[in-house]
Amino acid sequence: IMLNGEIYNYRELRAGLVERGHRFRTKSDVEVVLHLWEEKREACLADLRGMFALAIWNRRDQSLFLARDRVGKKPLYYTSLPNGAIIFASEIKGILQHPQVRREPSPEAINNFLTLQYVPSPNTAFRGIHRLAPAHWLLWSDGRIDVHRYWKLDYETKLHGSATELTEELLRLLRESVRIRLESEVPLGAFLSGGIDSSAVVAFAAEALEKPLKTFSIGFEQSQFDESRYARMVAQRFGTDHHELVVDAGAADLIDDIVWHYDQPFGDSSAIPSFHVARITRPHVTVVLNGDGGDESFAGYDRYQLSRISGYFNLPLALRLGVQRAARPASRFLGRGQRLLQGPVRDPFEAYFATLTHLDADRKAWLYGEEFARELSDTVPAPMRYLRQQRHGALLDAMLDADVNSYLPDDLLVKMDVATMAHSLEARSPFLDHKLMEFMARVPANLKLRRGESKHLLKSALRGILPNEILERRKMGFGVPLAGWLRSSLKEVLIDTVLSDRALARGYFKSASLRAMVDVHMAGGNRYQHVLWGLLMLERWHQMFIDQRPVPRERPLAHVPSLS
């Protein structure tokens, strides 16, 4: 067996196995999983509480068993060769070492990346290399591959307890999920953004520990992106040993680090602060808790407010499209909401997907080269396809379910796992405990989003625990001043990369459209900032992984500024 991750309930599982006659040679959680698989085969996955990617070779029947945890906190990639052999690894660059694996970009994956800023599972940016989806196992035998799903959240069987009873159970599960992740033989700390989720994790961790918890946060000089005062407020409230770094500019030398470690194009610009906070954390601790997953269980994103206007989509289509056209000139004042007005939105599912879309069909027609466009099919992107295939009683639950199965594992969890593991730092996510997620999926939708208040049940549970300023502040997200950076500290690398002869020769994009986007941005317009960042990441990935431009494999990571 090989296992990447942590099994938090391995001791109780081990005790049961010993009672049933199993004999152990180690005290590790890895051996527990092997004995459990010997007894139950794939059914053993239901007993595991934790994060993992694992591989088990059965010498008796010459078969290989691969599996990923329920939410996809740990990665696992694979490909098959013409002779039926299978190759797997935790990183794509490991698979690329095999001499028979070809480095070919996947046009469909690149198209999806430009749409979403990430490549949705089970595909990757490399043709023929796949990512095992969360909550799935794979069996390879005699050259045949079978893939099955073993877990899924149930949003339809709702709980009927009182609000008080649900709040008490939520607090119990939160405390338990934090407590079981505090066990560590190495120094442990927590990321602290000043948002509700990370603040709650810090509150319960500080409550359970005897020594002050070490906390780490990132700040920005631009106030609209800076949450550091809220992080300091929480740190003071719970007496943590707080560390803070203020980032004043985008670091050009960080870009290649990001491209190298993510293996495929990754356009979420919050990877930048994620790398920074991981770097300042690693000299102090080896394990770090975070607040990932709170938004997807408790309805924290602004896009979930769409569920409050679902009746709007019952109006005649012509009337709705007319309203969208009339509102389009004012869309620049709507932030991310302007994406709802970029193209025709015919139903709430399209409205949801529009909030995730960075490059819509009209812009693609303007940007894509003819040859590249011909290579693309009309397949529906994975998040939209998943959303339409499910049947939910509440629109909010449908959006939460789609995010848990795409945006969360393929963007947010990839971002955090890669950023932390690049610095030999283990990240643990209490909000992604499957028992907590199963409970919240069954909570009625009107207790998650109530009269416009996001995270209603969570905020109710945390009253008196977190400061009111934290509970009542508007969600900021982990954003960066990307537009300004692309016009200043990252201007040279953007132009030299996106408009280089090498990039233009690939034929993906019309050179006139690329130059127009860069010109608009440099003149002060911000509507292309995320697309330009994605194009920068895409071209750097091409140079590094497809062209195999020489990259120092063991070079030190970019300089870390001093912290307070």
Side-chain angles (χ1 to χ4, degrees), residues 13 40 50-51 64 68 73 82 95 100 124 134 150 169 185 231 270 330-331 338 359 432 444 460 475 486 509:
L13 293 174
K40 296 185 174 183
M51 56 180 181
L64 176 72
R68 274 184 86 193
K73 284 170 277 189
I95 292 175
Q100 293 185 42
T124 72
Y150 67 88
E169 178 62 6
E185 298 177 353
S270 61
S331 65
Q338 66 181 291
L359 194 66
L432 294 177
S460 298
K475 178 179 176 60
L486 291 174
F509 312 114

Side-chain angles (χ1 to χ4, degrees), residues 8-24:
Y8 301 117
N9 63 335
Y10 79 95
R11 284 192 175 88
E12 59 192 77
L13 293 174
R14 188 181 194 274
L17 288 163
V18 169
E19 287 181 2
R20 296 192 294 275
H22 291 260
R23 299 174 62 184
F24 286 81

Side-chain angles (χ1 to χ4, degrees), residues 11 89 105 146 198 280 334 355 379 396 456:
R11 284 192 175 88
D146 293 311
S198 65
I280 68 168
L334 299 178
T355 66
T379 55
L396 176 62
H456 173 75

Side-chain angles (χ1 to χ4, degrees), residues 240-253:
T240 73
D241 178 9
H242 191 56
H243 303 259
E244 182 180 302
L245 170 70
V246 176
V247 180
D248 59 0
D253 58 351

